[in-house]
Amino acid sequence: MKYRLGIDLGTNSLGWAVLRLDPAGQPCGLVRAGARIFSDSRNPKDGSSLASARRLPRQMRRRRDRYLSRRGKLMSLLVKYGLMPTDIGERKKIENLDPWTLRAEGLNRELAPHELGRALFHMNQRRGFQSNRKADNA
């Protein structure tokens, strides 16, 4: 017997039907049909989604992973083009340089390659930052 299965997937239900097919492949009868209704996927107290308990930590993990990936790629490019030292110990010494001072000094004098790399790395860390303090809005 040839048959066709039809499925209707809704937000809170799953409907299905099995149709018998004739030799030409056209429906000729209903074998069986049904529906499964799921309970509401919201917290009855406040109406929030039950999946939010999983979604929020997952979003935080993804955001952190993307940040670390972006930082690692930038560091490898800075090392490749000579804007950061290849030795990790030397990089740690450059971390002690104040990036704000380097950025300000870069306006008046030419920075050494490693100083420029430190300033660029700092800009990557502060990428997209906007304060939401009320004092800044005034």
Side-chain angles (χ1 to χ4, degrees):
M1 174 180 91
K2 287 186 173 184
Y3 65 91
R4 180 176 294 156
L5 174 65
I7 298 176
D8 177 31
L9 180 61
T11 56
N12 292 335
S13 64
L14 176 70
W16 57 275
V18 178
L19 302 173
R20 186 177 307 120
L21 302 177
D22 63 13
Q26 298 298 317
C28 64
L30 179 66
V31 177
R32 194 148 184 188
R36 170 79 169 113
I37 299 174
F38 307 114
S39 61
D40 190 18
S41 60
R42 301 203 167 272
N43 188 343
K45 292 181 182 176
D46 60 4
S48 66
S49 172
L50 295 175
S52 64
R54 295 187 312 274
R55 184 183 331 112
L56 294 176
R58 183 175 60 236
Q59 287 173 343
M60 291 169 57
R61 281 192 309 271
R62 287 179 178 170
R63 183 173 179 261
R64 176 79 177 153
D65 290 346
R66 288 177 186 137
Y67 166 74
L68 291 174
S69 173
R70 216 175 27 249
R71 194 174 75 174
K73 286 177 185 177
L74 176 65
M75 183 57 75
S76 65
L77 285 172
L78 291 173
V79 169
K80 178 181 175 181
Y81 291 109
L83 296 175
M84 280 291 203
T86 55
D87 182 39
I88 295 175
E90 291 294 318
R91 272 190 242 154
K92 290 292 180 188
K93 290 179 187 175
I94 291 177
E95 279 182 19
N96 294 330
L97 297 176
D98 182 24
W100 295 107
T101 305
L102 289 174
R103 288 170 65 174
E105 288 176 2
L107 297 172
N108 300 320
R109 71 171 176 91
E110 187 175 332
L111 296 178
H114 292 165
E115 291 175 334
L116 178 61
R118 175 65 178 119
L120 289 173
F121 190 75
H122 181 256
M123 286 180 188
N124 179 62
Q125 288 181 309
R126 299 290 177 255
R127 171 185 165 272
F129 174 77
Q130 284 187 344
S131 177
N132 60 358
R133 290 178 24 182
K134 291 182 181 179
D136 290 344
N137 292 338

